[in-house]
Amino acid sequence: MYTQALNTAETDDRGLEDAGKAAQFQARIDAEERIEPNDWMLAAYRKTLTRQISQHAHSEIVGMLPEGNWITRAPTLRRKAALLAKVQDECGHGLYLYAAAETLGTSREELIDAMLAGKAKYSSIFNYPTLTWADIGTIGWLVDGAAIMNQIPLCRCSYGPYARAMIRVCKEESFHQRQGYEIMVTLCRGSDEQKAMAQDALNRWWWPVLMMFGPPDATSQHSDTSTKWKIKRFSNDELRQKFVDATVPQAHYLGLTIPDPGMTQDAEGHWRYSEIDWAEFKHVLAGNGPCNRDRMAARRKAHEEGAWVREAAAAYAAKRARRPTAQAAE
Amino acid sequence: MATPNTPLWEVFIRSRNGLAHKHVGSLHASDATMALQAARDIYTRRGEGLSIWVVPSSAITASDPAEKGMMFEPAESKIYRHPTFYEVPEDVGHM
């Protein structure tokens, strides 16, 4: 999902830690207790969560770019106001998540620097371009829909600050999906050209969205410990199937065709999708998707161009701090 | 000159009159005025509150979770502090 680059195993350094404390830690997790920032935790648990939460935060921030692309060209004022609010929400989600990641002991500045240096990942989905207005509808409907599927179980994640951030995020995310689907409904009830535009967007986003759930269970090396630590409650394939089952009827309602001729419905009602092209996923994750370079360049530019604001705010605060009496007299 | 890391603030929001301010999260801001404005933008986009407090995170002194046993033991062992410890004859009715 937003943290799909986590499919590499952590080095196991538990041998170096107090075995008694480690057992107590696992017992707390098994008893569904929440782990809080100052609690003792395994170094690998801290490291995994720092990576996961910061990747999730980076994804929210980079995710503002493909949609921000359409704010000035939204077809009506109503759509523009909604899209602006949605993009602002994504920024807020990034900030909740950076704050949650920081409770594990790495500063936001360090986390952001790692992303700008290309050392930290963000979700591969944001490396695809938004070519038409229908892409904005499709992102809300499918990308946010997939995100909700992944984030609802994270509200029960064993790490308290992450779980609490996800609760806030999930509440807001539901508006995002509905606004996206509403755009799709409008296009599909419109002219033939508008409907074709909606179908074209679905064709381009369908497979990348399925890839958001991460590699198939058989090849995901990271899931075992994450499941044991109750960071992850469902496997990649389980969540992907849930998403497909929820989405196919929504596409049918729109009169759109899922771009998977091999898709069939099994006896239990599950929609079975064809093989996913994991080579494309790896290609995009490695930095070679259609927009990877653009996204990084846009983030670096924004960071550099904001430097004077951070400096000015820090200088102003320092100046005020040196004048305690003047401040008290106000 | 390198810009120092922006200080961290804890945000508390009173959701309705009559309720206490409740911790909702944290944010970074260089001073209290900016912290309040950022808290408004980050935590009250949907009418979540009527009043905001921001407190520098560094000003909070927290108890040590590792010592919670010792810290809270005095309350655990004093069951006579609870109303159910006392027996009142049933004929007396609700008290």
Side-chain angles (χ1 to χ4, degrees):
Chain A
M1 184 52 58
Y2 285 2
T3 54
Q4 66 210 162
L6 281 165
N7 56 337
T8 49
E10 277 307 343
T11 44
D12 194 339
D13 46 7
R14 272 164 288 174
L16 306 172
E17 293 177 318
D18 187 322
K21 278 187 176 171
Q24 221 172 24
F25 172 76
Q26 188 61 47
R28 289 189 61 198
I29 289 179
D30 293 342
E32 294 288 335
E33 273 186 46
R34 292 286 178 269
I35 306 300
E36 293 296 336
N38 295 327
D39 291 349
W40 188 91
M41 62 185 90
L42 286 171
Y45 177 84
R46 185 185 300 276
K47 199 167 150 190
T48 300
L49 272 172
T50 304
R51 281 212 305 169
Q52 173 160 347
I53 304 172
S54 65
Q55 282 183 21
H56 196 159
H58 301 327
S59 300
E60 298 284 355
I61 299 298
V62 176
M64 295 165 76
L65 298 170
E67 292 184 290
N69 181 33
W70 279 90
I71 290 174
T72 55
R73 291 176 287 161
T76 65
L77 193 55
R78 180 179 183 271
R79 298 284 184 214
K80 186 174 187 165
L83 184 57
L84 198 56
K86 178 180 190 296
V87 173
Q88 193 188 11
D89 273 355
E90 307 298 0
C91 179
H93 297 175
L95 296 177
Y96 308 152
L97 285 161
Y98 280 126
E102 277 187 299
T103 63
L104 291 158
T106 309
S107 73
R108 185 174 75 183
E109 284 82 353
E110 285 172 85
L111 298 172
I112 289 175
D113 285 348
M115 195 260 283
L116 297 176
K119 284 186 268 180
K121 301 279 183 198
Y122 56 87
S123 178
S124 62
I125 196 73
F126 301 119
N127 289 317
Y128 291 87
T130 42
L131 304 178
T132 71
W133 174 250
D135 290 34
I136 299 304
T138 309
I139 288 180
W141 172 36
L142 299 181
V143 175
D144 290 276
I148 292 170
M149 216 42 109
N150 181 59
Q151 287 168 346
I152 285 176
L154 283 173
C155 296
R156 293 187 294 126
C157 149
S158 62
Y159 189 57
Y162 194 25
R164 291 192 287 273
M166 291 325 301
I167 291 170
R168 288 190 66 87
V169 169
C170 284
K171 273 187 194 162
E172 299 180 352
E173 209 77 67
S174 133
F175 132 59
H176 298 177
Q177 193 186 14
R178 290 172 63 104
Q179 72 89 33
Y181 196 71
E182 194 195 82
I183 291 172
M184 297 307 276
V185 171
T186 308
L187 288 173
C188 291
R189 286 178 183 163
S191 65
D192 289 349
E193 215 181 341
Q194 285 171 317
K195 190 163 181 185
M197 192 196 268
Q199 181 65 55
D200 168 66
L202 175 61
N203 293 349
R204 283 182 288 108
W205 288 92
W206 177 253
W207 292 105
V209 165
L210 292 196
M211 292 174 199
M212 284 176 71
F213 292 92
D217 296 350
T219 62
S220 179
Q221 304 158 35
H222 198 76
S223 294
D224 298 347
T225 42
S226 284
T227 305
K228 189 175 152 209
W229 291 332
K230 298 196 197 274
I231 295 171
K232 205 174 171 134
R233 301 266 178 177
F234 296 98
S235 77
N236 294 351
D237 286 338
E238 281 169 339
L239 289 169
R240 188 163 18 239
Q241 188 60 55
K242 258 176 126 166
F243 171 77
V244 170
D245 288 341
T247 308
V248 170
Q250 294 165 355
H252 289 165
Y253 178 84
L254 294 170
L256 296 179
T257 310
I258 302 280
D260 179 358
M263 181 175 266
T264 52
Q265 195 174 24
D266 70 12
E268 289 163 9
H270 295 297
W271 290 94
R272 299 295 174 193
Y273 48 89
S274 306
E275 186 67 32
I276 293 170
D277 178 8
W278 292 110
E280 176 184 329
F281 175 72
K282 286 185 190 130
H283 187 69
V284 176
L285 217 54
N288 302 313
C291 299
N292 295 57
R293 286 171 196 80
D294 275 4
R295 301 296 184 231
M296 289 303 290
R299 286 307 312 141
R300 288 189 186 120
K301 180 167 176 275
H303 191 73
E304 282 160 19
E305 290 181 354
W308 73 268
V309 179
R310 292 189 293 276
E311 281 164 26
Y316 180 71
K319 188 179 82 177
R320 300 273 290 190
R322 280 196 302 272
R323 289 193 311 190
T325 39
Q327 211 168 350
E330 276 175 18
Chain B
M1 185 195 83
T3 312
N5 283 4
T6 312
L8 191 64
W9 302 73
E10 299 303 321
V11 182
F12 299 81
I13 290 177
R14 184 204 294 283
S15 54
R16 277 192 294 128
N17 272 336
L19 295 183
H21 285 75
K22 193 172 164 232
H23 184 242
V24 293
S26 45
L27 55 81
H28 287 272
S30 54
D31 62 33
T33 310
M34 290 183 77
L36 263 184
Q37 285 172 1
R40 193 266 319 265
D41 292 345
I42 300 172
Y43 292 104
T44 64
R45 289 196 302 283
R46 290 177 176 78
E48 289 92 336
L50 303 171
S51 163
I52 303 175
W53 289 348
V54 289
V55 179
S57 303
S58 58
I60 291 179
T61 307
S63 64
D64 181 354
E67 303 203 335
K68 67 170 184 268
M70 210 191 334
M71 183 85 168
F72 300 108
E73 188 282 331
E76 294 289 321
S77 60
K78 293 175 180 58
I79 52 169
Y80 47 84
R81 284 182 173 167
H82 297 277
T84 48
F85 180 76
Y86 300 94
E87 281 181 30
V88 174
E90 261 182 45
D91 298 346
V92 178
H94 177 74
M95 183 181 282

